[in-house]
Structure formats: C-alpha cells, structure tokens
Amino acid sequence: QVQLVESGGGLVQPGGSLRLSCAASGSIFRVNDMAWYRLAPGKERELVARITKGGGTQYVDSVKGRFTISRDNAKNTVYLQMNSLKPEDTTVYLCYAETIDTITGYKRGYWGQGTPVTVSS
C-alpha cells in the first residue's frame, strides 16, 4: 500500500504565492509520473501539472507561467510552486502518483487526500 501526504495549502491574497508538497511512502519500488490535479466547478478533477520521472513537465494553459511543478526522486516527493495566484485558483488540490509496487511489481495510481487553497483578499 502507498500513502500520499500533502501539505502547503491555505489562504493567500491575490497575487500571492503558495508551495504545495506531496510525499509518497509505503511499498514503492519506483515512482513514475507524479501530478497535481484540482477540483473543477463541477467537482471533476482537472489536471494542473504533471511531471515524469525524468523531469518532463506538462501544464494546463491557465497556469502556464505562474505554476511550476518539480520533484525530488530521492524523497518520492512532488512540489507545486504557485505564484501570481488568482481567485479562480481557489479549490482543493490533489496529488497523484503512479507507482510500481515493491512486492508485486504491479503499476497503480494513488491519490492524496487533497489540500485546500483559497485565494481571497
């Protein structure tokens, strides 16, 4: 079993910054892609940013130039640096990781519990 523990959410004024962290632990042989999603108005999950094990990144258009995803492979941790935050960035952010299990060798995706971000003056 794998656990994803997120931190870093909170309340920030428009134009401010937050840094989210997500650490994966448990029966992990390797972590493949890691990503941050957020809940869209219809409560569907929207991909915000994705990073491969090799460091390749992908962003949704609405955050390009403002958000930066990074990872520390030694710590199985992914980060999301969010700058120039806007009120429309307000929602719950969820971490995702695709892992290879140490014992079974199976590939499986896991979700964090979500961390709330509120951008308001």
Side-chain angles (χ1 to χ4, degrees):
Q1 195 69 1
V2 172
Q3 298 78 40
L4 300 182
V5 178
E6 300 150 339
S7 61
L11 172 64
V12 64
Q13 293 186 344
S17 298
L18 284 174
R19 189 190 194 210
L20 306 183
S21 300
C22 173
S25 62
S27 182
I28 298 173
F29 173 73
R30 184 175 70 238
V31 180
N32 291 335
D33 288 6
M34 303 185 82
W36 288 96
Y37 285 73
R38 62 188 179 187
L39 296 182
K43 297 302 182 182
E44 297 178 353
R45 291 170 182 166
E46 172 191 51
L47 176 65
V48 177
R50 177 189 298 272
I51 185 167
T52 67
K53 184 174 176 62
T57 58
Q58 172 191 357
Y59 297 91
V60 66
D61 286 347
S62 60
V63 308
K64 286 181 180 178
R66 300 190 298 124
F67 291 10
T68 302
I69 190 170
S70 61
R71 64 189 286 171
D72 184 333
N73 290 331
K75 298 179 179 179
N76 288 333
T77 299
V78 63
Y79 307 95
L80 185 68
Q81 178 67 43
M82 304 186 294
N83 298 328
S84 302
L85 282 160
K86 305 175 181 180
E88 52 264 43
D89 294 318
T90 295
T91 188
V92 175
Y93 286 72
L94 302 107
C95 172
Y96 172 85
E98 182 184 270
T99 69
I100 306 296
D101 188 272
T102 298
I103 297 174
T104 66
Y106 292 158
K107 182 170 61 177
R108 178 179 170 181
Y110 292 89
W111 293 92
Q113 78 284 0
T115 184
V117 170
T118 302
V119 185
S120 175
S121 54

